[in-house]
Amino acid sequence: MKILTVIGARPQFIKAATISRCISNIEDISEVIVHTGQHYHANMSDIFFEELAIPKPHYHLGVGGGSHGVMTGRQIEAIERVLMDEKPDWVLVYGDTNSTLAGALAAVKLNIPVAHVEAGLRSFNRRMPEEINRVVTDHVANLLMAPTETAMRNLRAEGLPEERLALVGDVMFDASLFYRDRARQPSWFSGLGIATDGFVLATVHRAENTDDPARLCAILEGLGAAGRPVILPLHPRTRQRLSEHGIALPNHLHVVDPVGYLEMVWLEAACDLVATDSGGVQKEAYFFGKPCVTLRDETEWVELVETGWNRLVDTDAKMISEAIGSAQALPAQSVSLYGDGNSAERVVEAIAGSHPAAKEA
């Protein structure tokens, strides 16, 4: 059986690493990796293939930049050509990016079954491009692999048939277990004069925050007003928007270039609090026992809010600074919310035929 995997953004590289290792251990399954090029900054793309030991992509489509419509359309066109040449048995997509949607649509138009990892997540905010991507992908996919019971309930509520659904857990938890002992301190950290467990790790990249100058200013004001050292690996989009809008960075922010995944794992383990608008980083904070302040007014990972590990503050500067200032270390807790660390194996088993949806495809 041949699986064609479509990836294009940082979180997908991490998820694909765990599943590609499982695929490589099965003799009768081969994998073709297609990198759309959605993330093309070196520290957001190439470095992940090196650090995570992911096989080099068989295809690099180089489709990055442009509006959502332009990017997605160009990706569909390019992926379709690859699918017609490779003729895979399954197309595997991850998450909620434009690459996810493009891979799913290109496949279903050619009647190739689609497997979606991280299915069923919902923010219920249709203004987010990611929400549209994940909803459409779920409704065209043949096999929906959900990370949590909440995600399973969302899929059932939308009328998706039970035979397409599989609760597999979260492959990001698999990754955190595998890479935590391989994490490495960034070379620049010692020069900052900051103690471990004495700083806030922040990430800001979502279009809803970076493309709105008022929201972006409020986030930076809140981070600066907290009065604690903040390390901010700056996403290329965020850096560009800061320049375009002439927004100055406040004190207490240590801005660095995007970091590799192993460095990010080290920072997550070494900080005492995370402030982010990233879905993946919210979970990783939980995996490492760190409280999280989420710079959005909703999250797909509602169980983190319900259990008290995550606090939603939207982009209110006062709420951000107060939440960071008042957050306390949380007690150790089981990570059973996201499985047992064997999610990648369950994904491969489902595609290989142990799940009814795979058998019917």
Side-chain angles (χ1 to χ4, degrees):
M1 180 174 65
K2 180 190 290 186
I3 297 173
L4 187 141
T5 296
V6 178
I7 52 178
R10 170 185 173 132
Q12 295 167 338
F13 303 147
I14 302 165
K15 297 163 193 170
T18 64
I19 294 175
S20 291
R21 278 194 297 273
C22 293
I23 292 175
S24 67
N25 292 328
I26 303 176
E27 292 184 0
D28 58 348
I29 300 180
S30 62
E31 182 182 28
V32 175
I33 299 176
V34 177
H35 178 13
T36 66
Q38 183 168 335
H39 279 175
Y40 46 87
H41 187 285
N43 277 2
M44 300 292 279
S45 182
D46 294 347
I47 192 170
F48 286 92
F49 292 97
E50 299 169 6
E51 288 186 340
L52 307 187
I54 304 174
K56 290 293 184 180
H58 299 81
Y59 297 87
H60 193 302
L61 305 182
V63 182
S67 67
H68 286 286
V70 168
M71 182 190 297
T72 307
R74 290 176 59 207
Q75 289 177 352
I76 292 172
E77 182 180 10
I79 293 169
E80 182 181 61
R81 288 195 295 267
V82 175
L83 294 177
M84 294 175 70
D85 289 340
E86 291 289 343
K87 298 179 176 57
D89 298 290
W90 282 87
V91 168
L92 177 60
V93 296
Y94 296 83
D96 55 18
T97 69
N98 290 338
S99 299
T100 309
L101 179 61
L105 290 178
V108 297
K109 293 289 187 179
L110 295 174
N111 296 313
I112 301 171
V114 175
H116 185 202
V117 171
E118 214 169 68
L121 300 185
R122 298 292 183 268
S123 68
F124 302 102
N125 178 2
R126 291 297 183 99
R127 294 172 299 172
M128 291 175 56
E130 295 90 349
E131 182 78 351
I132 302 302
N133 291 345
R134 63 174 72 105
V135 170
V136 174
T137 299
D138 281 341
H139 281 261
V140 302
N142 302 76
L143 181 56
L144 304 172
M145 291 175 282
T148 64
E149 290 285 359
T150 301
M152 290 288 282
R153 289 195 296 269
N154 290 337
L155 294 170
R156 290 175 179 133
E158 293 175 12
L160 289 161
E162 194 71 26
E163 61 268 21
R164 292 188 185 182
L165 313 184
L167 178 62
V168 298
D170 196 322
V171 295
M172 289 294 287
F173 180 39
D174 296 25
S176 73
L177 295 176
F178 184 83
Y179 290 110
R180 65 176 55 187
D181 294 332
R182 296 166 173 79
R184 61 170 180 247
Q185 177 177 315
S187 59
W188 43 259
F189 182 81
S190 58
L192 298 181
I194 299 174
T196 57
D197 293 325
F199 66 93
V200 175
L201 174 63
T203 72
V204 183
H205 80 281
R206 286 193 180 271
E208 63 189 276
N209 287 334
T210 60
D211 293 352
D212 185 330
R215 291 177 68 90
L216 185 54
C217 282
I219 289 171
L220 296 174
E221 180 185 345
L223 293 174
R228 299 171 64 182
V230 177
I231 294 178
L232 176 64
L234 200 58
H235 191 285
R237 179 198 291 126
T238 310
R239 184 181 295 278
Q240 182 178 353
R241 297 298 184 268
L242 289 172
S243 176
E244 290 174 352
H245 300 306
I247 299 173
L249 293 167
N251 295 330
H252 305 296
L253 261 65
H254 299 275
V255 175
V256 298
D257 288 336
V259 297
Y261 180 62
L262 298 182
E263 293 177 332
M264 188 65 177
V265 168
W266 188 90
L267 290 168
E268 289 167 341
C271 73
D272 63 352
L273 182 138
V274 171
T276 186
D277 61 6
S278 163
V281 176
Q282 291 174 49
K283 288 184 301 174
E284 289 167 345
Y286 174 70
F287 298 155
F288 290 105
K290 310 295 180 175
C292 182
V293 173
T294 294
L295 309 171
R296 294 166 55 191
D297 55 8
E298 78 283 312
T299 179
E300 301 78 21
W301 305 104
V302 295
E303 55 278 345
L304 293 178
V305 178
E306 293 170 350
T307 54
W309 285 82
N310 194 347
R311 181 175 174 185
L312 296 172
V313 295
D314 196 7
T315 54
D316 182 281
K318 184 177 180 181
M319 288 181 64
I320 293 170
S321 63
E322 289 179 349
I324 292 175
S326 63
Q328 301 294 321
L330 295 169
Q333 178 176 325
S334 168
V335 291
S336 59
L337 286 173
Y338 298 109
D340 57 6
N342 295 307
S343 299
E345 287 85 351
R346 294 191 182 93
V347 167
V348 177
E349 288 172 1
I351 298 174
S354 62
H355 191 278
K359 294 177 182 178
E360 294 172 4

